[in-house]
Structure formats: structure tokens, C-alpha cells
Amino acid sequence: MEPFDELLRGVRADGAGVRRVELSGTRALPGMTMYAVVAGEVSVRDVTAGPGDVLVVQDSVAVHGNASVVSGTYDVLGSVARRLTGVLPDAVVAPGTDGCAEFYGSLGTDESSVVADRLLDWIMVCALREWFDREHDSGWLAALADEVAGPVLRAMHDDPARAWTLASLAREAGVARTTLAGRFCRLVGTPPLTYLTEWRMALAADLLAESPATVASVARQVGYADAFGFSAAFKRVHGVSPSECRTRCAASA
């Protein structure tokens, strides 16, 4: 699975339904919010979306406009998906194509809530995917497209439980260890093995929240033979133990 696809995994509407909104003035909503523009314009700072475009804004970012839109607000679920908010800017516009505005305008409230949610999910994912394909010139996105860092990121995401070393990761990229370390750190902002640990802990947090697997089982799934070593790494990254993480997730469910 592509790393960016994994980030989209937990971006799901849940009971929001298709909401046709007549937007006037300024509005800020909690959570990640999507506006599929039917008519008029919606703007955030220096970003503007017109008919057929999709605007996605981060948590509580104010939008301005006089427009008819189909809107949905999202909770970004899970540690893996929450990494998406670190990749995205405050506002993303995915340009529409012929017929998009008409299609958005045809969405009504007759669909069941499940069907409506999935329609919103489809629009949201298509918009973020289009933005990702278009905007990958800096940060994590640049690393994913890079000929050295990209293969290493994909290898870690494809098989996080493998006993990766800097040498084995460098072989995935076909470069020396020093070349990989310098290039990866410059593009991603952390050394390769630090990124691997953080990725494993994000996966582990989701496994603890979503499954009844024991801590030892989760540890093995993310590459730790020793549950104690896993627990220490988990607490170092998340600030709580695996058991505390599971308890908090259960309490907030």
C-alpha cells in the first residue's frame, strides 16, 4: 500500500450525510471540513475554490464565501491518519472538471446515511489524492517522490515489522548509508530509523485501539520481539504506555 493511501485510511465520514449548505459570510467548523462547490466561491486566505472545485480545510480554519456547497466535517481517526494533518496545509483546493458542479448539485438527502457518508468519502479522497499528485515538492511528499528516500519510505510502510537496519534500508535505495541518512533527514526531517520507530508506534496505537490483540501480539506485529522494549519505545513516542493508550481509547469510544 502506498504511504499516502495509508494516511487516508482513517479519513471517514460517520453519520454526517450529504449536507447542502448555502454559505454566506465567514464560518469555521471543528474537524477537517470538505466543501464541494456547486455555485459561487469559497476562500481561505489566499486559496479560492469555484464551481466544481473541492476545498478541504484543517481544524477550525475560517472560510469566507457566498456559495452553494456540499459540505462534510470529518474526524481524522487513528494515529496513522492523524499524520495526514501534518502533511496537509491549512487549505487544499482540488480543481474540478466538466460536470463536477452539476454532480455535486445533484446530491440530495434521499440517500441513506451510509451511502451519503461514502459519497462524501469518495469526493474527499479524490480531492486529497489529486492534491497529492500535484503538490509533492517539499517535505514528506518530496521524500516520497525522491529516488532515494521514496523506496525507503515504501519499504518501511510495506513491511514495518522487518528487522530494518540503516544498511538494509540503504540497499533498498541502492545508495551508501551516509547518502541515505543525509538525504532522508533533509527531506523528512528525521533520520530513517527514527521515522521507522515513529511509524511503528503510530501503527501500534491504531492496533491497540481497534483490536483486542494483546500488547505482546501488537509488539510482534510492528517488529518487536520483546514486549518490554516495545512498551518503552511506545511510551517514549506517545507519552503513555500501551495499556494506558488502550484504556483511553476505550473511554473515548
Side-chain angles (χ1 to χ4, degrees):
M1 182 183 288
E2 282 285 329
F4 195 77
D5 292 339
E6 287 181 283
L7 297 183
L8 293 174
R9 201 173 50 152
V11 180
R12 291 173 65 85
D14 185 8
V18 174
R19 292 203 303 270
R20 180 72 175 267
V21 178
E22 300 303 317
L23 180 64
S24 178
T26 300
R27 176 176 298 185
L29 298 174
M32 184 180 288
T33 305
M34 180 202 75
Y35 299 91
V37 184
V38 178
E41 289 188 343
V42 182
S43 62
V44 178
R45 298 169 188 165
D46 60 345
V47 175
T48 300
D53 298 341
V54 174
L55 173 69
V56 180
V57 299
Q58 294 268 29
D59 185 48
S60 297
V61 173
V63 301
H64 314 273
N66 184 11
S68 178
V69 301
V70 173
S71 175
T73 301
Y74 286 71
D75 288 326
V76 180
L77 305 173
S79 295
V80 171
R82 281 195 295 273
R83 294 170 70 94
L84 179 65
T85 60
V87 174
L88 295 174
D90 286 343
V92 168
V93 172
T97 57
D98 290 344
C100 282
E102 183 178 354
F103 169 68
Y104 301 149
S106 71
L107 296 177
T109 57
D110 294 336
E111 298 89 350
S112 71
S113 61
V114 173
V115 172
D117 286 344
R118 297 297 77 82
L119 281 170
L120 285 178
D121 291 341
W122 177 74
I123 296 170
M124 178 75 142
V125 169
C126 287
L128 294 180
R129 184 82 238 185
E130 191 280 337
W131 171 84
F132 167 69
D133 290 340
R134 175 168 43 91
E135 303 287 343
H136 55 267
D137 57 353
S138 63
W140 187 86
L141 297 176
L144 193 57
D146 184 73
E147 62 183 5
V148 172
V152 172
L153 279 169
R154 289 183 175 84
M156 289 190 285
H157 281 249
D158 286 345
D159 192 3
R162 184 172 170 180
W164 292 110
T165 63
L166 188 59
S168 62
L169 289 171
R171 285 195 293 273
E172 293 290 324
V175 297
R177 287 176 294 176
T178 53
T179 300
L180 170 61
R183 185 89 154 254
F184 193 97
C185 196
R186 177 171 60 81
L187 291 171
V188 179
T190 60
L193 294 182
T194 300
Y195 179 91
L196 175 62
T197 297
E198 292 173 351
W199 176 243
R200 285 170 165 172
M201 295 307 112
L203 292 172
D206 284 0
L207 286 168
L208 289 165
E210 297 169 1
S211 77
T214 64
V215 171
S217 174
V218 170
R220 289 192 295 273
Q221 290 181 66
V222 296
Y224 287 77
D226 178 5
F228 293 103
F230 163 72
S231 295
F234 190 94
K235 189 166 187 177
R236 188 166 60 249
V237 171
H238 290 295
V240 296
S241 70
S243 297
E244 290 172 317
C245 176
R246 171 165 278 165
T247 300
R248 290 185 182 184
C249 290
S252 61

